[in-house]
Amino acid sequence: MDEHYKIINLVVCAKDAQATQDRYKTWSHTYEETTFDMLGFSAPFHGAETLVETLGVGKDLSILDIGAGTGRVGHHLRTDFNFNGEIDLLDANMEMLLCASQKEHLKFRTIIKHFADEDGNLPVKDNSYDALMCIGSFLPNHIPPRTVQGFLKALKCGGVFIFNLRSEHTDEYNAEFEEIIKMLISEGKVTETRKQIRHFKNWGDSTSSLITLRKLK
């Protein structure tokens, strides 16, 4: 078990974004075995559960999963909650997306390779999604905190952005993120709800904050 946790921390604590992507490229074929089968990575389930509790499962809904990896959020939406809407995936790593693309039974609509830089501009239309998800990818050398402002452009007014912030190894990163959330709230752009969740159900007391921002304007 310790060995699997060390693999994850090598990615979380990589020296820069390129090193992170290189490690994902190597890790992609055993990623689900490590994170879900061995460590019980439960944040994707909780994210999917929160989405369904908030918006339902209707076929008229469309979501964009940012930092989707192998498509685990979509897996939970389809198999655990019978979500009938459209699911698009976006990730910087082609090898991870290739694994997601092989899950034809999950009926992903579009799979997009895109590296998110600080402006947060996405290769999708503004105001086009009912929900954005980003589970397990708001980390140092993954997706910069400032991207959240750009990401919100893709969200319809009244839509929700559901994401988590991991508690370990992320103090400085999370502090910057919290300041951005406070700014968005003070400007009347979003409302916020949050809860604490277990990050790995098979490993220690690792936790995340699961945050839902609802876009007001």
Side-chain angles (χ1 to χ4, degrees), residues 65-77:
D65 186 8
I66 300 169
T70 60
R72 195 67 179 198
V73 169
H75 164 85
H76 288 301
L77 283 171

Side-chain angles (χ1 to χ4, degrees), residues 57-69:
V57 298
K59 64 181 181 180
D60 58 332
L61 296 173
S62 61
I63 74 164
L64 176 64
D65 186 8
I66 300 169

Side-chain angles (χ1 to χ4, degrees), residues 110-199:
T110 307
I111 296 178
I112 306 165
K113 183 181 183 298
H114 176 75
F115 186 90
D117 53 26
E118 292 210 358
D119 63 17
N121 290 331
L122 297 171
V124 300
K125 293 181 179 179
D126 289 353
N127 308 304
S128 57
Y129 288 97
D130 298 288
L132 306 179
M133 306 288 292
C134 188
I135 302 298
S137 293
F138 277 131
L139 290 165
N141 296 318
H142 283 62
I143 301 178
R146 294 183 184 277
T147 56
V148 67
Q149 299 172 82
F151 289 172
L152 287 171
K153 295 177 184 177
L155 194 61
K156 297 176 184 177
C157 186
V160 294
F161 185 10
I162 299 170
F163 58 92
N164 75 304
L165 295 178
R166 186 177 170 183
S167 302
E168 295 88 3
H169 310 297
T170 54
D171 290 350
E172 185 176 339
Y173 179 94
N174 285 2
E176 181 181 354
F177 214 117
E178 296 290 358
E179 287 301 313
I180 292 169
I181 293 174
K182 288 178 183 177
M183 180 188 69
L184 291 169
I185 293 171
S186 69
E187 293 175 349
K189 294 180 178 179
V190 302
T191 59
E192 176 208 19
T193 58
R194 69 171 66 198
K195 60 185 176 183
Q196 289 298 115
I197 60 171
R198 286 285 300 275
H199 198 77

